[in-house]
Amino acid sequence: MEIAIESLMIPHAEPTPAIPFHTPKLIGQQLLDVILRRHLEKFSCSVEMGTELRSFEQSDEGVTAVLAKNGILETFDTKWIVGADGAKGVVRKQLGLTFLGETRDDIRLIMGDIRLHGVGLDRAYSHRFGTFKRGASLRPTGEIGEDGWQFVIIDNDLDLTTVAQSEELIFETIASVIPTEITFNKLVWVSEFRANIRMVNKFSEGRVFVAGDAYSSIYEQGLNSSIQDAFNLGWKLALVEKGLADKSLLETYNTERLPVISEMLEMTTTLLDRAVQTGNMPAARSPILFMLGINYRFSHIVLDEFAIPGKPINAYGVLDEEHLEAGDRAPDAPNLVQVGAGESDVKTLFSLYRPWYHTVLVFAPSHADAVPILGALEAYDTSVVRSAVVLPSSASVTSVASPADFVFVDQEGHGYSAYLVEAGQTRVFVIRPDGVIGAIVRGTEGMKKYFSGIFLDV
């Protein structure tokens, strides 16, 4: 077996101060499931197995769900339901949400995990054989064993539904397209995939929401998009439930996420069409698939006093580090030096941001320039708004008494560079709980205007 082409699936990129986690990581669902459940346990939450949602009814006050636990029906009263049960699930169907789009009969494949040994199959690489119309791929995964691989089979001439139901046929099909001697040990799991380019017409109705897999996507955009759905909804729902925000804030879940998902499906369909026409899947991933350029610049709850109004929506854009607007992903900045409050583990902006509060960053030439803005912040609940002053490297500050939660000197200039602030300027950035820049403003009045669109009257 000879290598025809050797290429990078993902172009190599070193971590940068603004993007410390640049390279995507492929993780099997069984491992990711464990990671997510363990994270839930930190918040005293658990997933009840053997429990099925059968139906629900909602009113202005709440929702009553009918659950089946091990075959026994019971009712459960709650204030909200977030359906993450997928496009075929009960929540979408009972809400009557449409699922517009198309099912592509020209794209069908089988994927799964398998344990095998192949002569000459180097586990330092992923391997692709054949074309996009008839071929197979293998990606090494140690999660299921030292001989574990994730496999994909594409063959438009085969009845893949029948193949997926037979371990023997799967083994035969893989062996037919891979030109080496293979010893098959075990089929771990398998699933048939059809390209459904579809999405719901809206993400909520009353007190019931859909999040994650309320659309069908390809090119591995689905999982990250689904988590972004939940993140966008989660912080807003928390503020409403705490009585700190009006219920109308929840409407922005639809207005912010629908354009993103619509553009994502359009973009991935274009890539899919190109692969079908040429018969080949591009070896390298387009930078747009890294999802770092996703933005909510068009949202009416973000505020940017410096942006040019009236620009067309480009919700699924390519990252441009030379341009930053409200609605963009907030960049990181490492090696910050904290002053005035003793030792702390917080040395990067990412370690400052949290999912349960807004973070107000005040870039100012001196702490005195930040004081009026910090004074205005005293009107807000400290459990949902935190603050940090970021001083330029030229600031000679060793200790300062401050109402801010943190005062930093940006000794290496990474913060000022990533947020495009000059050393003599004062800029206020409000970072939302989901890591999105909610506002870029000049000072106190702009900050108050932003928060007036989020919180109830202060």
Side-chain angles (χ1 to χ4, degrees):
M1 183 172 64
E2 295 183 1
I3 297 175
I5 299 174
E6 182 176 327
S7 62
L8 294 171
M9 289 180 60
I10 301 168
H12 177 74
E14 292 292 335
T16 68
I19 309 174
F21 312 109
H22 197 288
T23 304
K25 184 174 179 60
L26 298 174
I27 304 176
Q29 183 170 330
Q30 66 272 36
L31 176 59
L32 184 61
D33 191 67
V34 171
I35 293 171
L36 293 176
R37 288 174 191 252
R38 286 179 178 172
H39 186 69
L40 273 178
E41 290 170 0
K42 296 177 182 177
F43 301 91
S44 301
C45 293
S46 61
V47 177
E48 292 189 21
M49 306 302 290
T51 303
E52 177 189 359
L53 175 66
R54 291 289 179 87
S55 64
F56 58 87
E57 292 184 1
Q58 62 172 315
S59 66
D60 291 340
E61 289 72 38
V63 189
T64 299
V66 177
L67 306 176
K69 288 189 176 183
N70 300 315
I72 301 174
L73 296 181
E74 65 176 55
T75 59
F76 180 79
D77 292 324
T78 183
K79 291 185 178 181
W80 315 91
I81 283 182
V82 180
D85 51 346
K88 298 180 180 179
V90 171
V91 176
R92 180 190 72 83
K93 293 178 179 178
Q94 189 169 327
L95 283 181
L97 305 182
T98 60
F99 199 44
L100 303 175
E102 63 174 337
T103 298
R104 299 282 294 263
D105 291 327
D106 56 343
I107 301 297
R108 301 181 68 180
L109 53 88
I110 299 172
M111 63 177 61
D113 284 349
I114 197 168
R115 295 179 60 185
L116 60 81
H117 174 74
V119 176
L121 288 179
D122 190 338
R123 291 185 61 82
Y125 295 85
S126 293
H127 304 270
R128 288 167 45 192
F129 306 89
T131 69
F132 195 67
K133 296 179 179 178
R134 181 180 185 273
S137 68
L138 294 173
R139 178 182 70 85
T141 171
E143 298 165 14
I144 60 171
E146 294 181 355
D147 57 352
W149 300 83
Q150 182 187 69
F151 73 91
V152 175
I153 298 172
I154 299 177
D155 195 326
N156 294 338
D157 296 327
L158 286 179
D159 181 355
L160 292 183
T161 300
T162 300
V163 174
Q165 297 171 351
S166 168
E167 182 180 77
E168 182 178 354
L169 288 176
I170 289 173
F171 290 169
E172 290 179 1
T173 304
I174 292 175
S176 71
V177 294
I178 299 179
T180 190
E181 181 181 342
I182 298 178
T183 303
F184 293 98
N185 295 328
K186 183 181 180 181
L187 178 66
V188 180
W189 68 268
V190 62
S191 178
E192 184 182 2
F193 175 85
R194 299 179 69 182
N196 287 293
I197 316 300
R198 298 178 180 271
M199 66 178 289
V200 292
N201 58 318
K202 57 182 178 178
F203 282 6
S204 65
E205 182 67 47
R207 290 179 167 269
V208 182
F209 305 83
V210 290
D213 286 342
Y215 38 83
S216 284
S217 66
I218 53 176
Y219 287 91
E220 295 145 0
Q221 301 293 280
L223 173 62
N224 286 335
S225 295
S226 300
I227 290 177
Q228 289 165 21
D229 287 347
F231 214 159
N232 186 289
L233 173 61
W235 70 268
K236 299 169 182 176
L237 191 58
L239 288 180
V240 171
E241 182 60 24
K242 291 175 180 178
L244 297 174
D246 186 79
K247 190 178 176 183
S248 61
L249 180 64
L250 301 177
E251 297 171 6
T252 66
Y253 173 48
N254 274 306
T255 57
E256 290 189 340
R257 291 303 295 168
L258 279 175
V260 171
I261 301 306
S262 177
E263 289 192 22
M264 180 265 287
L265 291 176
E266 182 179 347
M267 178 268 298
T268 54
T269 301
T270 299
L271 294 175
L272 178 63
D273 288 341
R274 191 178 303 153
V276 171
Q277 291 167 5
T278 62
N280 289 293
M281 182 76 79
R285 298 301 174 97
S286 166
I288 199 171
L289 295 175
F290 295 167
M291 307 175 79
L292 295 174
I294 290 175
N295 66 84
Y296 306 130
R297 294 176 182 177
F298 54 89
S299 174
H300 71 272
I301 62 168
V302 305
L303 176 63
D304 195 318
E305 294 183 340
F306 305 93
I308 301 173
K311 291 188 295 185
I313 294 175
N314 184 23
Y316 224 82
V318 177
L319 177 68
D320 177 7
E321 293 187 80
E322 300 302 316
H323 191 76
L324 191 67
E325 290 187 25
D328 290 353
R329 161 196 170 275
D332 194 15
N335 302 328
L336 301 173
V337 178
Q338 187 179 352
V339 295
E343 289 296 320
S344 169
D345 293 333
V346 178
K347 293 180 173 59
T348 72
L349 290 182
F350 274 9
S351 61
L352 179 63
Y353 305 152
R354 288 292 182 272
W356 52 87
Y357 57 73
H358 279 77
T359 305
V360 178
L361 295 181
V362 184
F363 287 82
S366 68
H367 185 269
D369 293 304
V371 168
I373 300 164
L374 299 175
L377 281 175
E378 294 178 2
Y380 300 97
D381 190 323
T382 56
S383 69
V384 291
V385 178
R386 305 290 296 276
S387 62
V389 177
V390 185
L391 302 174
S393 58
S394 58
S396 56
V397 180
T398 56
S399 180
V400 62
S402 175
D405 294 291
F406 295 93
V407 178
F408 298 110
V409 173
D410 188 14
Q411 201 69 52
E412 298 178 7
H414 297 308
Y416 276 76
S417 175
Y419 285 78
L420 306 179
V421 181
E422 296 180 8
Q425 294 177 328
T426 297
R427 291 283 188 275
V428 180
F429 294 78
V430 184
I431 313 302
R432 305 190 331 183
D434 56 0
V436 170
I437 300 174
I440 305 177
V441 295
R442 293 178 174 85
T444 301
E445 293 308 310
M447 181 188 69
K448 291 166 67 174
K449 182 179 179 181
Y450 166 77
F451 280 130
S452 70
I454 303 297
F455 299 124
L456 292 169
D457 293 341
V458 176

